[in-house]
Amino acid sequence: MALMLFGDAPEPWFEEWLERVVGAITRHDITLLHGAFAPEARYFLKPHAPPLEGPEAILRHVAAQFGGQRELSCTTEILGFTPEAALVRWKADYILTASDTREAYDGLVIYRFDAQRRCLLRQSWAVQWAPALP
């Protein structure tokens, strides 16, 4: 287990929640995300852009990404955890379908949760896209 920047070691429910998200993305299976987001969830794609609001809009966005990427692989590292919030580093590598070019993503994502352990808020910070990352 990595040293946490804040909080304690992640609870099993969060590790399972994150595995559902990773599984949905890497297997292109949107059904894994049903119930993962609260009805009032907000999903920020960029720090200063308006968020997607509600599970339907969030799931539509994620499903649309499936058609735009192939050969996706990703890793996550939980940097901090409390029952209300988590900080996760995401690294991904994939081919953009439209241009047939490889792209990499490295970003920090903050998640906030309700009492039912559904995501209320997702914010991306410190995102870097590049043809390749170390």
PDB file of all heavy atoms in Angstrom, residues 81-113:
ATOM      1  N   PHE A  81      -7.443   8.966   0.942  1.00  0.00           N
ATOM      2  CA  PHE A  81      -8.794   8.451   1.112  1.00  0.00           C
ATOM      3  C   PHE A  81      -9.360   8.844   2.469  1.00  0.00           C
ATOM      4  O   PHE A  81      -8.675   8.772   3.487  1.00  0.00           O
ATOM      5  CB  PHE A  81      -8.808   6.917   1.000  1.00  0.00           C
ATOM      6  CG  PHE A  81     -10.142   6.333   1.320  1.00  0.00           C
ATOM      7  CD1 PHE A  81     -11.139   6.291   0.364  1.00  0.00           C
ATOM      8  CD2 PHE A  81     -10.430   5.880   2.599  1.00  0.00           C
ATOM      9  CE1 PHE A  81     -12.393   5.797   0.669  1.00  0.00           C
ATOM     10  CE2 PHE A  81     -11.688   5.387   2.907  1.00  0.00           C
ATOM     11  CZ  PHE A  81     -12.668   5.335   1.945  1.00  0.00           C
ATOM     12  N   THR A  82     -10.612   9.268   2.451  1.00  0.00           N
ATOM     13  CA  THR A  82     -11.475   9.343   3.624  1.00  0.00           C
ATOM     14  C   THR A  82     -12.810   8.788   3.150  1.00  0.00           C
ATOM     15  O   THR A  82     -13.031   8.683   1.937  1.00  0.00           O
ATOM     16  CB  THR A  82     -11.662  10.791   4.145  1.00  0.00           C
ATOM     17  OG1 THR A  82     -12.472  11.518   3.225  1.00  0.00           O
ATOM     18  CG2 THR A  82     -10.336  11.505   4.376  1.00  0.00           C
ATOM     19  N   PRO A  83     -13.735   8.448   4.038  1.00  0.00           N
ATOM     20  CA  PRO A  83     -15.028   7.940   3.563  1.00  0.00           C
ATOM     21  C   PRO A  83     -15.803   8.943   2.706  1.00  0.00           C
ATOM     22  O   PRO A  83     -16.675   8.553   1.936  1.00  0.00           O
ATOM     23  CB  PRO A  83     -15.779   7.625   4.857  1.00  0.00           C
ATOM     24  CG  PRO A  83     -14.690   7.316   5.839  1.00  0.00           C
ATOM     25  CD  PRO A  83     -13.578   8.266   5.489  1.00  0.00           C
ATOM     26  N   GLU A  84     -15.461  10.224   2.793  1.00  0.00           N
ATOM     27  CA  GLU A  84     -16.159  11.244   2.011  1.00  0.00           C
ATOM     28  C   GLU A  84     -15.458  11.605   0.711  1.00  0.00           C
ATOM     29  O   GLU A  84     -16.078  12.178  -0.182  1.00  0.00           O
ATOM     30  CB  GLU A  84     -16.332  12.532   2.834  1.00  0.00           C
ATOM     31  CG  GLU A  84     -17.203  12.373   4.067  1.00  0.00           C
ATOM     32  CD  GLU A  84     -16.457  11.762   5.251  1.00  0.00           C
ATOM     33  OE1 GLU A  84     -15.220  11.935   5.341  1.00  0.00           O
ATOM     34  OE2 GLU A  84     -17.103  11.090   6.069  1.00  0.00           O
ATOM     35  N   ALA A  85     -14.158  11.333   0.598  1.00  0.00           N
ATOM     36  CA  ALA A  85     -13.414  11.786  -0.578  1.00  0.00           C
ATOM     37  C   ALA A  85     -12.196  10.911  -0.825  1.00  0.00           C
ATOM     38  O   ALA A  85     -11.659  10.289   0.083  1.00  0.00           O
ATOM     39  CB  ALA A  85     -12.967  13.238  -0.386  1.00  0.00           C
ATOM     40  N   ALA A  86     -11.763  10.903  -2.087  1.00  0.00           N
ATOM     41  CA  ALA A  86     -10.560  10.168  -2.464  1.00  0.00           C
ATOM     42  C   ALA A  86      -9.824  10.944  -3.548  1.00  0.00           C
ATOM     43  O   ALA A  86     -10.440  11.636  -4.358  1.00  0.00           O
ATOM     44  CB  ALA A  86     -10.907   8.773  -2.961  1.00  0.00           C
ATOM     45  N   LEU A  87      -8.513  10.814  -3.548  1.00  0.00           N
ATOM     46  CA  LEU A  87      -7.657  11.386  -4.579  1.00  0.00           C
ATOM     47  C   LEU A  87      -6.972  10.223  -5.288  1.00  0.00           C
ATOM     48  O   LEU A  87      -6.317   9.396  -4.638  1.00  0.00           O
ATOM     49  CB  LEU A  87      -6.616  12.318  -3.961  1.00  0.00           C
ATOM     50  CG  LEU A  87      -5.565  12.899  -4.908  1.00  0.00           C
ATOM     51  CD1 LEU A  87      -6.220  13.802  -5.952  1.00  0.00           C
ATOM     52  CD2 LEU A  87      -4.497  13.656  -4.120  1.00  0.00           C
ATOM     53  N   VAL A  88      -7.149  10.152  -6.614  1.00  0.00           N
ATOM     54  CA  VAL A  88      -6.636   9.023  -7.387  1.00  0.00           C
ATOM     55  C   VAL A  88      -5.832   9.539  -8.570  1.00  0.00           C
ATOM     56  O   VAL A  88      -6.275  10.437  -9.291  1.00  0.00           O
ATOM     57  CB  VAL A  88      -7.795   8.133  -7.895  1.00  0.00           C
ATOM     58  CG1 VAL A  88      -7.265   6.980  -8.746  1.00  0.00           C
ATOM     59  CG2 VAL A  88      -8.611   7.606  -6.725  1.00  0.00           C
ATOM     60  N   ARG A  89      -4.663   8.971  -8.772  1.00  0.00           N
ATOM     61  CA  ARG A  89      -3.884   9.258  -9.979  1.00  0.00           C
ATOM     62  C   ARG A  89      -4.262   8.214 -11.025  1.00  0.00           C
ATOM     63  O   ARG A  89      -4.245   7.014 -10.765  1.00  0.00           O
ATOM     64  CB  ARG A  89      -2.392   9.178  -9.700  1.00  0.00           C
ATOM     65  CG  ARG A  89      -1.570   9.503 -10.943  1.00  0.00           C
ATOM     66  CD  ARG A  89      -0.096   9.471 -10.675  1.00  0.00           C
ATOM     67  NE  ARG A  89       0.633   9.885 -11.866  1.00  0.00           N
ATOM     68  CZ  ARG A  89       1.941   9.792 -11.981  1.00  0.00           C
ATOM     69  NH1 ARG A  89       2.672   9.331 -10.970  1.00  0.00           N
ATOM     70  NH2 ARG A  89       2.538  10.175 -13.089  1.00  0.00           N
ATOM     71  N   TRP A  90      -4.635   8.700 -12.201  1.00  0.00           N
ATOM     72  CA  TRP A  90      -4.976   7.853 -13.338  1.00  0.00           C
ATOM     73  C   TRP A  90      -3.910   8.010 -14.413  1.00  0.00           C
ATOM     74  O   TRP A  90      -3.565   9.123 -14.778  1.00  0.00           O
ATOM     75  CB  TRP A  90      -6.306   8.290 -13.957  1.00  0.00           C
ATOM     76  CG  TRP A  90      -7.525   7.838 -13.254  1.00  0.00           C
ATOM     77  CD1 TRP A  90      -8.093   8.403 -12.151  1.00  0.00           C
ATOM     78  CD2 TRP A  90      -8.352   6.743 -13.621  1.00  0.00           C
ATOM     79  NE1 TRP A  90      -9.230   7.722 -11.813  1.00  0.00           N
ATOM     80  CE2 TRP A  90      -9.412   6.700 -12.703  1.00  0.00           C
ATOM     81  CE3 TRP A  90      -8.299   5.799 -14.648  1.00  0.00           C
ATOM     82  CZ2 TRP A  90     -10.412   5.740 -12.775  1.00  0.00           C
ATOM     83  CZ3 TRP A  90      -9.300   4.848 -14.721  1.00  0.00           C
ATOM     84  CH2 TRP A  90     -10.339   4.815 -13.784  1.00  0.00           C
ATOM     85  N   LYS A  91      -3.418   6.885 -14.922  1.00  0.00           N
ATOM     86  CA  LYS A  91      -2.547   6.903 -16.095  1.00  0.00           C
ATOM     87  C   LYS A  91      -3.197   5.976 -17.123  1.00  0.00           C
ATOM     88  O   LYS A  91      -3.597   4.867 -16.782  1.00  0.00           O
ATOM     89  CB  LYS A  91      -1.144   6.422 -15.747  1.00  0.00           C
ATOM     90  CG  LYS A  91      -0.382   7.416 -14.876  1.00  0.00           C
ATOM     91  CD  LYS A  91       1.008   6.924 -14.559  1.00  0.00           C
ATOM     92  CE  LYS A  91       1.898   7.181 -15.747  1.00  0.00           C
ATOM     93  NZ  LYS A  91       3.322   6.920 -15.473  1.00  0.00           N
ATOM     94  N   ALA A  92      -3.317   6.465 -18.335  1.00  0.00           N
ATOM     95  CA  ALA A  92      -3.936   5.662 -19.386  1.00  0.00           C
ATOM     96  C   ALA A  92      -3.173   5.828 -20.687  1.00  0.00           C
ATOM     97  O   ALA A  92      -2.525   6.857 -20.921  1.00  0.00           O
ATOM     98  CB  ALA A  92      -5.391   6.077 -19.581  1.00  0.00           C
ATOM     99  N   ASP A  93      -3.278   4.831 -21.513  1.00  0.00           N
ATOM    100  CA  ASP A  93      -2.632   4.809 -22.813  1.00  0.00           C
ATOM    101  C   ASP A  93      -3.638   4.169 -23.771  1.00  0.00           C
ATOM    102  O   ASP A  93      -4.224   3.150 -23.445  1.00  0.00           O
ATOM    103  CB  ASP A  93      -1.354   3.961 -22.708  1.00  0.00           C
ATOM    104  CG  ASP A  93      -0.569   3.933 -23.972  1.00  0.00           C
ATOM    105  OD1 ASP A  93      -0.867   3.087 -24.836  1.00  0.00           O
ATOM    106  OD2 ASP A  93       0.357   4.742 -24.108  1.00  0.00           O
ATOM    107  N   TYR A  94      -3.854   4.784 -24.935  1.00  0.00           N
ATOM    108  CA  TYR A  94      -4.854   4.279 -25.862  1.00  0.00           C
ATOM    109  C   TYR A  94      -4.593   4.833 -27.249  1.00  0.00           C
ATOM    110  O   TYR A  94      -3.788   5.740 -27.434  1.00  0.00           O
ATOM    111  CB  TYR A  94      -6.273   4.660 -25.414  1.00  0.00           C
ATOM    112  CG  TYR A  94      -6.411   6.116 -25.048  1.00  0.00           C
ATOM    113  CD1 TYR A  94      -6.724   7.079 -26.002  1.00  0.00           C
ATOM    114  CD2 TYR A  94      -6.198   6.532 -23.732  1.00  0.00           C
ATOM    115  CE1 TYR A  94      -6.821   8.412 -25.661  1.00  0.00           C
ATOM    116  CE2 TYR A  94      -6.295   7.866 -23.378  1.00  0.00           C
ATOM    117  CZ  TYR A  94      -6.605   8.799 -24.345  1.00  0.00           C
ATOM    118  OH  TYR A  94      -6.699  10.125 -24.002  1.00  0.00           O
ATOM    119  N   ILE A  95      -5.297   4.282 -28.216  1.00  0.00           N
ATOM    120  CA  ILE A  95      -5.242   4.774 -29.587  1.00  0.00           C
ATOM    121  C   ILE A  95      -6.550   5.506 -29.863  1.00  0.00           C
ATOM    122  O   ILE A  95      -7.641   4.968 -29.602  1.00  0.00           O
ATOM    123  CB  ILE A  95      -5.033   3.633 -30.592  1.00  0.00           C
ATOM    124  CG1 ILE A  95      -3.645   3.004 -30.360  1.00  0.00           C
ATOM    125  CG2 ILE A  95      -5.170   4.136 -32.029  1.00  0.00           C
ATOM    126  CD1 ILE A  95      -3.355   1.786 -31.210  1.00  0.00           C
ATOM    127  N   LEU A  96      -6.443   6.725 -30.376  1.00  0.00           N
ATOM    128  CA  LEU A  96      -7.622   7.486 -30.778  1.00  0.00           C
ATOM    129  C   LEU A  96      -8.126   6.917 -32.101  1.00  0.00           C
ATOM    130  O   LEU A  96      -7.386   6.884 -33.093  1.00  0.00           O
ATOM    131  CB  LEU A  96      -7.281   8.967 -30.938  1.00  0.00           C
ATOM    132  CG  LEU A  96      -6.925   9.703 -29.651  1.00  0.00           C
ATOM    133  CD1 LEU A  96      -6.380  11.085 -29.968  1.00  0.00           C
ATOM    134  CD2 LEU A  96      -8.134   9.793 -28.743  1.00  0.00           C
ATOM    135  N   THR A  97      -9.356   6.483 -32.125  1.00  0.00           N
ATOM    136  CA  THR A  97      -9.922   5.835 -33.307  1.00  0.00           C
ATOM    137  C   THR A  97      -9.944   6.765 -34.512  1.00  0.00           C
ATOM    138  O   THR A  97      -9.599   6.355 -35.625  1.00  0.00           O
ATOM    139  CB  THR A  97     -11.337   5.323 -32.992  1.00  0.00           C
ATOM    140  OG1 THR A  97     -11.259   4.476 -31.837  1.00  0.00           O
ATOM    141  CG2 THR A  97     -11.915   4.536 -34.148  1.00  0.00           C
ATOM    142  N   ALA A  98     -10.328   8.015 -34.315  1.00  0.00           N
ATOM    143  CA  ALA A  98     -10.491   8.953 -35.433  1.00  0.00           C
ATOM    144  C   ALA A  98      -9.182   9.217 -36.173  1.00  0.00           C
ATOM    145  O   ALA A  98      -9.165   9.335 -37.395  1.00  0.00           O
ATOM    146  CB  ALA A  98     -11.073  10.270 -34.930  1.00  0.00           C
ATOM    147  N   SER A  99      -8.078   9.308 -35.443  1.00  0.00           N
ATOM    148  CA  SER A  99      -6.806   9.660 -36.079  1.00  0.00           C
ATOM    149  C   SER A  99      -5.808   8.512 -36.113  1.00  0.00           C
ATOM    150  O   SER A  99      -4.736   8.635 -36.708  1.00  0.00           O
ATOM    151  CB  SER A  99      -6.167  10.837 -35.339  1.00  0.00           C
ATOM    152  OG  SER A  99      -5.903  10.471 -33.995  1.00  0.00           O
ATOM    153  N   ASP A 100      -6.140   7.397 -35.475  1.00  0.00           N
ATOM    154  CA  ASP A 100      -5.249   6.236 -35.397  1.00  0.00           C
ATOM    155  C   ASP A 100      -3.909   6.595 -34.755  1.00  0.00           C
ATOM    156  O   ASP A 100      -2.870   6.070 -35.142  1.00  0.00           O
ATOM    157  CB  ASP A 100      -5.055   5.610 -36.782  1.00  0.00           C
ATOM    158  CG  ASP A 100      -4.672   4.142 -36.681  1.00  0.00           C
ATOM    159  OD1 ASP A 100      -5.148   3.461 -35.747  1.00  0.00           O
ATOM    160  OD2 ASP A 100      -3.882   3.671 -37.527  1.00  0.00           O
ATOM    161  N   THR A 101      -3.944   7.517 -33.792  1.00  0.00           N
ATOM    162  CA  THR A 101      -2.727   7.917 -33.096  1.00  0.00           C
ATOM    163  C   THR A 101      -2.810   7.504 -31.625  1.00  0.00           C
ATOM    164  O   THR A 101      -3.883   7.443 -31.038  1.00  0.00           O
ATOM    165  CB  THR A 101      -2.500   9.442 -33.168  1.00  0.00           C
ATOM    166  OG1 THR A 101      -3.640  10.110 -32.618  1.00  0.00           O
ATOM    167  CG2 THR A 101      -2.270   9.902 -34.583  1.00  0.00           C
ATOM    168  N   ARG A 102      -1.649   7.224 -31.082  1.00  0.00           N
ATOM    169  CA  ARG A 102      -1.571   6.841 -29.676  1.00  0.00           C
ATOM    170  C   ARG A 102      -1.549   8.101 -28.819  1.00  0.00           C
ATOM    171  O   ARG A 102      -0.915   9.092 -29.165  1.00  0.00           O
ATOM    172  CB  ARG A 102      -0.320   6.003 -29.405  1.00  0.00           C
ATOM    173  CG  ARG A 102      -0.255   5.517 -27.965  1.00  0.00           C
ATOM    174  CD  ARG A 102       0.681   4.344 -27.785  1.00  0.00           C
ATOM    175  NE  ARG A 102       0.262   3.148 -28.496  1.00  0.00           N
ATOM    176  CZ  ARG A 102      -0.667   2.289 -28.077  1.00  0.00           C
ATOM    177  NH1 ARG A 102      -1.329   2.514 -26.964  1.00  0.00           N
ATOM    178  NH2 ARG A 102      -0.956   1.221 -28.771  1.00  0.00           N
ATOM    179  N   GLU A 103      -2.261   8.055 -27.708  1.00  0.00           N
ATOM    180  CA  GLU A 103      -2.302   9.172 -26.769  1.00  0.00           C
ATOM    181  C   GLU A 103      -2.181   8.615 -25.356  1.00  0.00           C
ATOM    182  O   GLU A 103      -2.599   7.493 -25.089  1.00  0.00           O
ATOM    183  CB  GLU A 103      -3.606   9.953 -26.919  1.00  0.00           C
ATOM    184  CG  GLU A 103      -3.660  11.207 -26.068  1.00  0.00           C
ATOM    185  CD  GLU A 103      -4.891  12.041 -26.370  1.00  0.00           C
ATOM    186  OE1 GLU A 103      -5.953  11.729 -25.810  1.00  0.00           O
ATOM    187  OE2 GLU A 103      -4.778  12.988 -27.159  1.00  0.00           O
ATOM    188  N   ALA A 104      -1.613   9.417 -24.481  1.00  0.00           N
ATOM    189  CA  ALA A 104      -1.472   9.026 -23.084  1.00  0.00           C
ATOM    190  C   ALA A 104      -2.094  10.102 -22.211  1.00  0.00           C
ATOM    191  O   ALA A 104      -2.154  11.274 -22.586  1.00  0.00           O
ATOM    192  CB  ALA A 104      -0.006   8.842 -22.736  1.00  0.00           C
ATOM    193  N   TYR A 105      -2.578   9.685 -21.062  1.00  0.00           N
ATOM    194  CA  TYR A 105      -3.252  10.572 -20.111  1.00  0.00           C
ATOM    195  C   TYR A 105      -2.640  10.319 -18.739  1.00  0.00           C
ATOM    196  O   TYR A 105      -2.417   9.175 -18.348  1.00  0.00           O
ATOM    197  CB  TYR A 105      -4.740  10.217 -20.103  1.00  0.00           C
ATOM    198  CG  TYR A 105      -5.554  10.824 -18.987  1.00  0.00           C
ATOM    199  CD1 TYR A 105      -6.216  12.026 -19.165  1.00  0.00           C
ATOM    200  CD2 TYR A 105      -5.677  10.186 -17.760  1.00  0.00           C
ATOM    201  CE1 TYR A 105      -6.985  12.584 -18.156  1.00  0.00           C
ATOM    202  CE2 TYR A 105      -6.444  10.735 -16.743  1.00  0.00           C
ATOM    203  CZ  TYR A 105      -7.094  11.929 -16.949  1.00  0.00           C
ATOM    204  OH  TYR A 105      -7.838  12.472 -15.955  1.00  0.00           O
ATOM    205  N   ASP A 106      -2.360  11.383 -18.024  1.00  0.00           N
ATOM    206  CA  ASP A 106      -1.873  11.289 -16.653  1.00  0.00           C
ATOM    207  C   ASP A 106      -2.587  12.384 -15.880  1.00  0.00           C
ATOM    208  O   ASP A 106      -2.435  13.563 -16.201  1.00  0.00           O
ATOM    209  CB  ASP A 106      -0.358  11.491 -16.620  1.00  0.00           C
ATOM    210  CG  ASP A 106       0.274  11.185 -15.273  1.00  0.00           C
ATOM    211  OD1 ASP A 106      -0.472  10.903 -14.304  1.00  0.00           O
ATOM    212  OD2 ASP A 106       1.506  11.231 -15.178  1.00  0.00           O
ATOM    213  N   GLY A 107      -3.402  12.025 -14.917  1.00  0.00           N
ATOM    214  CA  GLY A 107      -4.181  13.039 -14.223  1.00  0.00           C
ATOM    215  C   GLY A 107      -4.502  12.676 -12.791  1.00  0.00           C
ATOM    216  O   GLY A 107      -4.456  11.517 -12.399  1.00  0.00           O
ATOM    217  N   LEU A 108      -4.814  13.711 -12.025  1.00  0.00           N
ATOM    218  CA  LEU A 108      -5.282  13.545 -10.658  1.00  0.00           C
ATOM    219  C   LEU A 108      -6.780  13.779 -10.644  1.00  0.00           C
ATOM    220  O   LEU A 108      -7.270  14.763 -11.198  1.00  0.00           O
ATOM    221  CB  LEU A 108      -4.598  14.547  -9.730  1.00  0.00           C
ATOM    222  CG  LEU A 108      -3.078  14.434  -9.620  1.00  0.00           C
ATOM    223  CD1 LEU A 108      -2.536  15.529  -8.718  1.00  0.00           C
ATOM    224  CD2 LEU A 108      -2.671  13.064  -9.114  1.00  0.00           C
ATOM    225  N   VAL A 109      -7.511  12.869 -10.020  1.00  0.00           N
ATOM    226  CA  VAL A 109      -8.964  12.966  -9.964  1.00  0.00           C
ATOM    227  C   VAL A 109      -9.403  12.926  -8.509  1.00  0.00           C
ATOM    228  O   VAL A 109      -8.972  12.063  -7.746  1.00  0.00           O
ATOM    229  CB  VAL A 109      -9.636  11.826 -10.759  1.00  0.00           C
ATOM    230  CG1 VAL A 109     -11.149  11.913 -10.655  1.00  0.00           C
ATOM    231  CG2 VAL A 109      -9.187  11.856 -12.215  1.00  0.00           C
ATOM    232  N   ILE A 110     -10.250  13.888  -8.151  1.00  0.00           N
ATOM    233  CA  ILE A 110     -10.847  13.933  -6.821  1.00  0.00           C
ATOM    234  C   ILE A 110     -12.265  13.403  -6.940  1.00  0.00           C
ATOM    235  O   ILE A 110     -13.029  13.834  -7.819  1.00  0.00           O
ATOM    236  CB  ILE A 110     -10.880  15.370  -6.273  1.00  0.00           C
ATOM    237  CG1 ILE A 110      -9.461  15.915  -6.133  1.00  0.00           C
ATOM    238  CG2 ILE A 110     -11.628  15.422  -4.935  1.00  0.00           C
ATOM    239  CD1 ILE A 110      -9.419  17.411  -5.889  1.00  0.00           C
ATOM    240  N   TYR A 111     -12.614  12.476  -6.063  1.00  0.00           N
ATOM    241  CA  TYR A 111     -13.967  11.946  -5.982  1.00  0.00           C
ATOM    242  C   TYR A 111     -14.539  12.288  -4.611  1.00  0.00           C
ATOM    243  O   TYR A 111     -13.847  12.163  -3.606  1.00  0.00           O
ATOM    244  CB  TYR A 111     -13.974  10.416  -6.117  1.00  0.00           C
ATOM    245  CG  TYR A 111     -13.469   9.909  -7.440  1.00  0.00           C
ATOM    246  CD1 TYR A 111     -12.162   9.449  -7.575  1.00  0.00           C
ATOM    247  CD2 TYR A 111     -14.304   9.870  -8.547  1.00  0.00           C
ATOM    248  CE1 TYR A 111     -11.700   8.970  -8.780  1.00  0.00           C
ATOM    249  CE2 TYR A 111     -13.844   9.383  -9.766  1.00  0.00           C
ATOM    250  CZ  TYR A 111     -12.542   8.934  -9.870  1.00  0.00           C
ATOM    251  OH  TYR A 111     -12.086   8.455 -11.073  1.00  0.00           O
ATOM    252  N   ARG A 112     -15.810  12.683  -4.564  1.00  0.00           N
ATOM    253  CA  ARG A 112     -16.525  12.893  -3.303  1.00  0.00           C
ATOM    254  C   ARG A 112     -17.755  11.984  -3.320  1.00  0.00           C
ATOM    255  O   ARG A 112     -18.362  11.789  -4.365  1.00  0.00           O
ATOM    256  CB  ARG A 112     -16.926  14.347  -3.128  1.00  0.00           C
ATOM    257  CG  ARG A 112     -15.721  15.258  -3.020  1.00  0.00           C
ATOM    258  CD  ARG A 112     -16.080  16.641  -2.487  1.00  0.00           C
ATOM    259  NE  ARG A 112     -14.915  17.475  -2.478  1.00  0.00           N
ATOM    260  CZ  ARG A 112     -13.974  17.495  -1.540  1.00  0.00           C
ATOM    261  NH1 ARG A 112     -14.090  16.706  -0.501  1.00  0.00           N
ATOM    262  NH2 ARG A 112     -12.936  18.295  -1.620  1.00  0.00           N
ATOM    263  N   PHE A 113     -18.113  11.466  -2.139  1.00  0.00           N
ATOM    264  CA  PHE A 113     -19.154  10.448  -2.035  1.00  0.00           C
ATOM    265  C   PHE A 113     -20.260  10.836  -1.076  1.00  0.00           C
ATOM    266  O   PHE A 113     -20.047  11.583  -0.127  1.00  0.00           O
ATOM    267  CB  PHE A 113     -18.536   9.114  -1.586  1.00  0.00           C
ATOM    268  CG  PHE A 113     -17.559   8.581  -2.582  1.00  0.00           C
ATOM    269  CD1 PHE A 113     -16.211   8.888  -2.489  1.00  0.00           C
ATOM    270  CD2 PHE A 113     -17.992   7.810  -3.646  1.00  0.00           C
ATOM    271  CE1 PHE A 113     -15.302   8.419  -3.429  1.00  0.00           C
ATOM    272  CE2 PHE A 113     -17.100   7.350  -4.587  1.00  0.00           C
ATOM    273  CZ  PHE A 113     -15.758   7.651  -4.479  1.00  0.00           C
TER     274      PHE A 113
END
